[in-house]
Amino acid sequence: MKIVVLAGGLSAERDVSFKTGEMVTQALRENGHQVILLDVFMGYSDKKEELFGIFDRAEEVSVKAEGIREEAPDLQRIKAQRKDQSDNFFGPNVIELCRMADIVFLALHGENGENGKVQATFDLFGIRYTGSGYLSSALAMDKGRTKQLLQMAGIPTPRGFSVKKEEAIGKSPEELGISLPCVVKPCCGGSSIGVSIVRSKEEFSAALEAAFRWENELVLEEYVQGREFSVGVVDFEALPVIEIAPLEGFYDYKNKYKAGSAVETCPAELSAELTEQMQHYAVQVAKVLELDTYSRSDFLLSEKNEIFCLEANTLPGMTPTSLLPQEAKAAGMDFNRLCERLIEISLRKYEKQGEAK
């Protein structure tokens, strides 16, 4: 097949997206496909005539990915590098190349990759892509809305609520109705960027400032002391549970992507009962949010063995240290097969839609 792996963009997770894209591109090429790794923001060339036979030159025209730095990228610097300086999110020839592909593998992470806007655009252009649709993506990306839906479905999640910048700046935790310690995080962010665990009023003000740097709406939630876990779901079937134990602090951006920063155990050392319960909740999250291809939900297990769902990821990372590939491997599915499986499930959805018309 002719496949575009779409990565990059203008989210704080740009570097992570490229590493996911690089891994997926390599796997799909080994599987025999013609694959172009494309930066959704920078695009390719500015001449449409250069697109003829481009998949025969897939490796030559693919973007060369760099490593993941310890700090989030400088997005203003990235914007300044684009030749046409257009305010269009899609770079030159991106839509055209994606329309030429049999399917687009979405390796995007963060705001414009996972909030449903790209998915909605592709739906209008008739472009087939991997992962969930625009509405499910939008709901899961918004941690405040996700929390509300989980609560309505009876899925345990830490108590919390969303708050806008104009409502929060200059306010104390008590004025906002949250007790310390608490967690402050951007409502629609990812990779734990802008997330803080707050234990004092002084830390609270600094945490608000850090999180509002990324967006104008935050989630404030109670802090749950406990062990961290994640459960991938593929086609509404749960993968083995993985435990993440950072060597220092919590599972933040640095600990997620710097090799050796966390001990990851899969399958997690849990009782059969807790394992089954956590997997059940992960599948329920996928069903509630209609994440019908694949997803990964993050959990905390309190000292009292209470399970709390933190959030759902609609396009989980596929980097060397990412969790979903580790879980799939524990289930007997290697990385190449996982990538192929996600394409098969996505194409099956389009076939069903065609049959229904």
Side-chain angles (χ1 to χ4, degrees), residues 227 229 241-243 265-272 274-275 301 305:
R227 297 160 63 188
F229 299 87
V241 179
I242 189 169
E243 179 172 8
T265 306
C266 188
E269 296 177 359
L270 289 171
S271 68
L274 284 172
T275 296
L301 182 67
N305 278 346

Side-chain angles (χ1 to χ4, degrees), residues 13 31-32 46-47 59 62 83 119 132 138 145 149 181 183 202 205 207 211 216 226 242 303 330 339 356-357:
E13 297 175 82
N31 289 352
D46 56 0
K47 301 175 182 177
E59 293 193 39
S62 290
K83 289 182 180 179
Q119 289 83 351
S132 302
R145 303 293 181 272
L149 290 170
V183 178
E202 293 74 23
S205 297
N216 290 321
I242 189 169
E303 295 168 343
C339 293
K357 290 181 180 179

